[in-house]
Amino acid sequence: DKCTPEELIRICDTMNPNNTPGKITIIVRMGAEKLRKNLPGLIRAVQREGKSVIWISDPVHGNTRKTENGFKTRDFDKIRAELRAFFDVHDEMGSHPGGVHLEMTGEDVTECTGGISGVTEETLADRYNTYCDPRLNGAQALELAFLIAERLRLRTGLPPIE
């Protein structure tokens, strides 16, 4: 939400004057609400100018907060909402969602609240092992992987996973 469509086109022109496919990756991380409001204008500008970019969602970084007891955490529901918004906007705009970046571990940590693993603010301290930023645990990451797989199946016309 810090870049206007005009700024994005100037950046694309500067960084990739020959419009070489695969050279520019746009990483989107602004929360679901701002994404639904701002991403269409960015995509529209890129489409109008014929720019070749790869759109990546980073739904984890835009959803960091500090709890009352001092833990830096991220809410799974907000991460999932931003990821859904990313796919929804690309579906609406006829553009391609090129990838997703997740900060995650396969370990059973309690650093991000919510999701199938049921981590709450009260259980954050149980296995809060990060030295830097909170990561999705294995169960939370798999839950998002299935969401992504389902969205990609729908985009390609495959039936839903049952």
Side-chain angles (χ1 to χ4, degrees):
D1 66 321
K2 294 177 174 60
C3 181
T4 67
E6 297 75 24
E7 289 170 323
L8 179 57
I9 297 306
R10 275 196 305 277
I11 291 167
C12 289
D13 288 339
T14 301
M15 300 302 294
N16 190 10
N18 296 324
N19 202 27
T20 305
K23 190 168 183 182
I24 295 196
T25 300
I26 308 297
I27 301 173
V28 181
R29 56 188 220 186
M30 58 180 87
E33 206 171 293
K34 288 181 182 177
L35 189 146
R36 287 185 187 281
K37 178 183 173 201
N38 297 319
L39 185 57
L42 298 173
I43 293 172
R44 197 174 298 110
V46 164
Q47 290 172 330
R48 181 184 62 241
E49 299 297 324
K51 300 300 178 188
S52 178
V53 303
I54 299 168
W55 298 100
I56 304 288
S57 173
D58 179 358
V60 177
H61 280 97
N63 291 293
T64 305
R65 66 179 180 86
K66 201 164 213 163
T67 66
E68 287 184 23
N69 55 359
F71 284 99
K72 186 176 176 183
T73 190
R74 293 159 171 159
D75 295 314
F76 181 85
D77 290 342
K78 289 185 178 184
I79 293 167
R80 183 178 51 207
E82 182 166 345
L83 195 54
R84 283 181 172 148
F86 179 73
F87 279 96
D88 289 347
V89 169
H90 281 288
D91 286 348
E92 292 162 11
M93 300 298 296
S95 50
H96 180 72
V100 175
H101 167 78
L102 298 175
E103 211 154 27
M104 56 169 275
T105 178
E107 299 172 22
D108 186 26
V109 297
T110 55
E111 299 170 1
C112 295
T113 58
I116 198 165
S117 61
V119 179
T120 65
E121 282 194 29
E122 293 73 32
T123 61
L124 279 174
D126 292 357
R127 290 177 305 284
Y128 194 92
N129 300 333
T130 186
Y131 291 107
C132 185
D133 288 330
R135 303 159 296 170
L136 295 164
N137 63 34
Q140 292 165 327
L142 279 173
E143 191 172 344
L144 290 180
F146 279 106
L147 168 72
I148 294 165
E150 184 66 26
R151 292 303 295 258
L152 293 175
R153 287 180 66 84
L154 291 173
R155 285 182 67 84
T156 58
L158 292 171
I161 298 170
E162 295 186 25

